Amino acid sequence: MTPAPPLKYLMRFAALAYIGVLVIVPAGLILWRSFSPGLGQFFSQISTPAAISALQLSLLVVAIVVPLNVLFGVPTALVLARSRFRGKGVLQAVIDLPFAVSPVVVGVALIVLWGSAGAFGFVERDLGFKIIFGLPGIVLASIFVTLPFVIREVEPVLHEIGTDQEEAAATLGSRSWQTFWRITLPSIRWGLMYGVVLTVARTLGEYGAVIMVSSNLPGKSQTLTLLVSDRYSRGAEYGAYAISTLLMTVAVLVLIVQVILDARRARARA
Amino acid sequence: MTDAITLRGVNKRYADFAALDDINFAVPSGSLTALLGPSGSGKSTLLRVIAGLDVPDSGTVTIDGHDVTRVPPQRRGIGFVFQHYAAFKHMTVRDNVAFGLKIRKRPKAEVNQKVDELLETVGLSGFQTRYPGQLSGGQRQRMALARALAVDPRVLLLDEPFGALDAKVREDLRAWLRRLHDEVHVTTVLVTHDQSEALDVADRIAVLHKGRIEQVGSPTDVYDRPANEFVMSFLGAVSSLNGVLVRPHDIRVGRNPEMAIATTDGTAENIGVMRATIDRIVYLGFEVRVELISALTGGRFTAQITRGDAEALALKEGDTAYVRATRVPAIAGSPQSADSDEALAPAKSP
């Protein structure tokens, strides 16, 4: 259905106004607030010891979470795409669970499980290995909320390429691990990269689950998002804007990579 | 001639469906054998069992005298070509063809030389740096053939290799495959559902139906001496002339009873001549399809005659014509074989 011209323009305006008010104005306002006192101010705010520590911690968490998600995500996607077994439907639903569960609930669940009074509390009490309120807790929370991304991006690609190429490789003498490295992995690479990009974005941006399991000490156990919240609640509003801008810059970079990967994937499919 | 591939008592079931039902079958060395059958007849499963891509529930598979039933596809010495090419999309044509040789860790110079030779053979010289996405379907399939031949397979297995191609390209590739086989001489098994492809390319045809092999023989054997009605009707068009199955091109049409008798018969006997009404005449280029209604039974049947004959007889729709079957294939177990002078096909229970 094509609406009459006046209605068409009205709909366009409404859509643009909606996106403008909800997305562009808030984001633009933060940018403006960050840079209005001058670049010097901005850089001094993002280079305080607490800010550098938060950036390092966020990147460290990404560096741990991404390889783990790839290492477990790809085999899981292979199992889901290539084999039939009882309980596959349940597994599919469980993998989507992190999409449905509120991050705060994830944090609480991790405390119930790994906290010193939790089900696996012996790890901290007897082995002295601190999970909740330490780096492992942040990593576990991040993995929980990012678990589906790699699997959900790789699985449909595996369905699409089918098994023909892998069987062809087998008839040519290729052993299964050779086939994986030479055929399967290159075929799913754009889907996998897309999953990784989504994982990076979500890990950097996660707040709810992380705040529950982090001791939230500036310069020690604060990620970038925790630092933003912390600065804001302590009245250091400008510092919060500056870190927000830093996070947004990362988000924009991720968005650009996402657009490039989308184009690559479309081309690879042709 | 020795047998390159032998299957003994091979069974394969999927749930309650028998894909292969006690298959005993041999492929002579150097032959080009077609596995012909409708979809679901088990022909692709049979090929995949030979390749090791599917494992039979029981029975044995031997290639060049070695029992390979439990040997994975990697070590069977086969080349396999898939219906949808299975091109390695992220590799150039050169890397596709070189794949098997690189897996075998052959020296680079040898690999490059062999790849260039093979691409020359399949008519893809100069395409080395292209990607499969930049090739036409026919070119992709020729690349897949070069890739399969690169590892010097003992047997070449083709699973509906031309099934995804246009009619014209398909015919060109058929002729090309025949020439290639005469050149390379590797034992080849081709799966197809297209009887004209099988008759055109193969020197032996195995007809499959419901997981069983109905008949194995030369193209003329299976066409002229079908083992049963299924083989008869699957290998070409069939007309029922008062209950007797004949090929439409074996029906002679005339204006009077005498003209319906082929001149080579020499006699003027009227035996077997029937009266019929012309219902419809269809011109199909070089041939003419005449649809008739039998005066005796009222049954419909089709005769296929040349354009020249149709013009000489000046056939018109509604006219009365006389017809006679000039050749009745012998089918074991059916009543018409009794009055046929053709060699009897091997007995086969229906």
Side-chain angles (χ1 to χ4, degrees), chain B:
Chain B
M1 197 154 54
T2 54
D3 290 333
I5 307 167
T6 321
L7 294 106
R8 280 194 207 90
V10 169
N11 285 285
K12 175 84 185 168
R13 297 186 71 84
Y14 291 110
D16 55 348
F17 163 73
L20 296 176
D21 186 2
D22 192 27
I23 298 282
N24 290 287
F25 176 56
V27 178
S29 247
S31 72
L32 201 172
T33 299
L35 301 179
L36 176 67
S39 58
S41 60
K43 57 192 191 301
S44 282
T45 307
L46 183 54
L47 196 74
R48 291 174 61 86
V49 163
I50 297 172
L53 294 170
D54 279 339
V55 180
D57 301 333
S58 62
T60 58
V61 181
T62 56
I63 295 178
D64 274 356
H66 303 284
D67 184 341
V68 296
T69 316
R70 302 278 158 233
V71 175
Q74 284 88 342
R75 289 189 281 117
R76 288 201 181 190
I78 50 156
F80 201 101
V81 172
F82 295 78
Q83 179 176 4
H84 297 287
Y85 328 123
F88 302 144
K89 286 182 190 166
H90 59 286
M91 292 184 196
T92 59
V93 170
R94 177 194 295 281
D95 289 340
N96 263 276
V97 178
F99 187 84
L101 298 168
K102 284 185 179 169
I103 291 286
R104 285 164 177 71
K105 302 214 177 351
R106 297 281 167 76
K108 206 170 178 180
E110 184 198 320
V111 172
N112 283 339
Q113 195 201 339
K114 180 129 198 192
V115 169
D116 289 344
E117 272 172 30
L118 277 164
L119 287 177
E120 175 90 49
T121 310
V122 301
L124 285 176
S125 291
F127 287 78
Q128 276 86 339
T129 56
R130 300 257 191 121
Y131 282 88
Q134 299 167 301
L135 303 180
S136 71
Q139 288 171 333
R140 270 184 238 185
Q141 200 54 301
R142 281 184 283 152
M143 180 195 82
L145 258 163
R147 183 176 71 181
L149 289 170
V151 295
D152 292 320
R154 286 184 286 199
V155 295
L156 183 60
L157 308 171
L158 314 171
D159 190 3
E160 306 236 11
F162 312 135
L165 301 168
D166 301 342
K168 178 76 179 76
V169 180
R170 188 154 53 199
E171 278 188 26
D172 289 349
L173 273 188
R174 264 190 221 166
W176 174 83
L177 176 68
R178 188 65 243 182
R179 286 199 303 275
L180 183 79
H181 183 258
D182 293 340
E183 236 173 79
V184 184
H185 270 307
V186 59
T187 309
T188 304
V189 182
L190 168 100
V191 160
T192 180
H193 63 263
D194 179 349
Q195 36 83 21
S196 68
E197 186 168 293
L199 292 168
D200 184 355
V201 174
D203 45 41
R204 267 171 99 256
I205 296 177
V207 184
L208 275 92
H209 182 45
K210 292 182 177 168
R212 301 186 68 92
I213 291 183
E214 299 284 348
Q215 189 177 5
V216 182
S218 69
T220 40
D221 272 345
V222 289
Y223 190 80
D224 291 334
R225 289 179 287 279
N228 54 39
E229 285 190 10
F230 173 80
V231 176
M232 167 106 191
S233 54
F234 197 74
L235 268 124
V238 181
S239 273
S240 172
L241 209 59
N242 293 348
V244 178
L245 292 183
V246 294
R247 302 261 180 234
H249 57 69
D250 288 337
I251 296 175
R252 191 171 166 82
V253 181
R255 275 299 194 180
N256 55 57
E258 283 70 30
M259 278 182 71
I261 295 166
T263 48
T264 48
D265 282 11
T267 65
E269 284 174 0
N270 276 6
I271 293 166
V273 175
M274 292 183 303
R275 196 156 54 86
T277 310
I278 299 174
D279 184 47
R280 189 158 170 255
I281 300 172
V282 187
Y283 289 85
L284 300 164
F286 64 94
E287 62 179 39
V288 176
R289 201 171 69 208
V290 186
E291 295 176 14
L292 302 116
I293 299 170
S294 166
L296 184 67
T297 63
R300 289 172 169 277
F301 62 95
T302 302
Q304 202 176 311
I305 62 177
T306 65
R307 205 185 176 107
D309 283 355
E311 278 164 7
L313 291 166
L315 299 178
K316 285 197 306 293
E317 289 171 3
D319 284 2
T320 297
Y322 293 88
V323 298
R324 181 191 175 238
T326 55
R327 177 192 201 109
V328 179
I331 297 179
S334 90
Q336 68 194 68
S337 57
D339 56 17
S340 165
D341 55 0
E342 300 292 333
L344 280 173
K348 178 98 186 160
S349 55

Side-chain angles (χ1 to χ4, degrees), chain A residues 160-161 163-179 181-190 268-270, chain B residues 48 51 53-54 73-75 78-80 82-91 96 99-105 133 147-148 151:
Chain A
E160 200 177 292
I161 60 171
T163 53
D164 269 15
Q165 294 184 48
E166 289 166 12
E167 286 186 341
T171 63
L172 291 166
S174 174
R175 290 168 194 287
S176 45
W177 61 270
Q178 287 174 312
T179 304
W181 283 108
R182 287 165 183 257
I183 306 298
T184 315
L185 199 57
S187 302
I188 61 171
R189 65 193 189 280
W190 300 123
R269 216 171 282 168
Chain B
R48 291 174 61 86
L53 294 170
D54 279 339
Q74 284 88 342
R75 289 189 281 117
I78 50 156
F80 201 101
F82 295 78
Q83 179 176 4
H84 297 287
Y85 328 123
F88 302 144
K89 286 182 190 166
H90 59 286
M91 292 184 196
N96 263 276
F99 187 84
L101 298 168
K102 284 185 179 169
I103 291 286
R104 285 164 177 71
K105 302 214 177 351
R147 183 176 71 181
V151 295

Side-chain angles (χ1 to χ4, degrees), chain A residues 54-196:
Chain A
L55 181 63
Q56 281 173 342
L57 181 62
S58 280
L59 293 180
L60 177 65
V61 172
V62 167
I64 298 170
V65 167
V66 167
L68 284 175
N69 273 352
V70 170
L71 218 58
F72 290 100
V74 172
T76 307
L78 272 167
V79 166
L80 289 175
R82 295 287 156 78
S83 32
R84 296 156 138 262
F85 52 91
R86 285 168 75 99
K88 186 167 158 182
V90 176
L91 182 59
Q92 293 276 23
V94 168
I95 288 165
D96 283 335
L97 198 65
F99 283 148
V101 173
S102 165
V104 177
V105 177
V106 174
V108 172
L110 286 175
I111 293 172
V112 167
L113 187 63
W114 295 101
S116 56
F120 290 173
F122 67 90
V123 176
E124 185 177 333
R125 274 178 280 130
D126 304 339
L127 309 176
F129 194 68
K130 200 171 168 163
I131 290 173
I132 299 301
F133 304 129
L135 179 66
I138 299 176
V139 169
L140 283 173
S142 301
I143 287 178
F144 193 107
V145 296
T146 58
L147 183 84
F149 291 118
V150 166
I151 300 171
R152 286 289 171 252
E153 291 302 321
V154 169
E155 192 196 340
V157 183
L158 284 169
H159 274 297
E160 200 177 292
I161 60 171
T163 53
D164 269 15
Q165 294 184 48
E166 289 166 12
E167 286 186 341
T171 63
L172 291 166
S174 174
R175 290 168 194 287
S176 45
W177 61 270
Q178 287 174 312
T179 304
F180 177 78
W181 283 108
R182 287 165 183 257
I183 306 298
T184 315
L185 199 57
S187 302
I188 61 171
R189 65 193 189 280
W190 300 123
L192 179 60
M193 298 256 297
Y194 200 87
V196 165

